[in-house]
Amino acid sequence: MPNPNPRRALVTAALKAQQTAVAPYSNFHVGAALLTASGKIITGANVERASYGLTCCAERVALFKALTQGEHAFTGIAVVAAADGGPMPCGACRQLLAEYAPGAAVWIADSRKPSRIRQFSIAQLL
Ligand code: THU
């Protein structure tokens, strides 16, 4: 049965994914975890290239992984990084989430204070 209060589990998964970030240029390690309607968690972390435009954010890595695993229904996404209040998704990620996960809750946390989770809707972010 899906966890009725999955925010903490999702943030925990995002914190674990954060450790897999490949961010030698910014040194800003971001983790993301997507929750599917069936209760599955799919994670991602940012991967950087020297030219910033080729960098892929944690949210998009998680989303692309999930979609290519055949997952199309999402109820939430957690995003964490060591930033005051937590990292806010960039414009590209907001647009991708609006298209593929429009109903998902967005849970943002500072990885140094992960018990403080802020919640947004995709609509609020657009
Ligand atoms: N980044 C993410 O992965 N997600 C966000 O929500 C904010 C920014 C990454 C992109 C880049 O690797 C680094 O953080 C600095 O912007």
Side-chain angles (χ1 to χ4, degrees):
M1 208 172 109
N3 183 345
N5 184 12
R7 298 185 327 159
R8 299 217 178 270
L10 213 56
V11 165
T12 300
L15 288 167
K16 197 168 170 201
Q18 183 189 20
Q19 294 173 18
T20 68
V22 181
Y25 300 104
S26 72
N27 215 26
F28 189 63
H29 296 201
V30 186
L34 262 173
L35 182 65
T36 71
S38 62
K40 199 185 286 184
I41 292 176
I42 297 162
T43 61
N46 54 328
V47 180
E48 297 184 342
R49 155 78 177 116
S51 59
Y52 189 80
L54 296 182
T55 288
C56 198
C57 296
E59 297 92 317
R60 266 176 288 160
V61 171
L63 184 61
F64 293 160
K65 278 172 66 181
L67 292 170
T68 55
Q69 287 172 26
E71 298 292 345
H72 294 278
F74 306 104
T75 56
I77 181 168
V79 192
V80 303
D84 290 341
M88 293 305 291
C90 76
C93 288
R94 292 176 194 208
Q95 291 187 42
L96 263 294
L97 289 169
E99 184 155 348
Y100 291 106
V106 181
W107 292 306
I108 306 285
D110 180 340
S111 52
R112 301 162 299 184
K113 297 176 192 166
S115 58
R116 192 180 164 249
I117 303 169
R118 294 192 296 151
Q119 177 167 335
F120 300 89
S121 66
I122 307 282
Q124 273 176 314
L125 296 179
L126 284 178

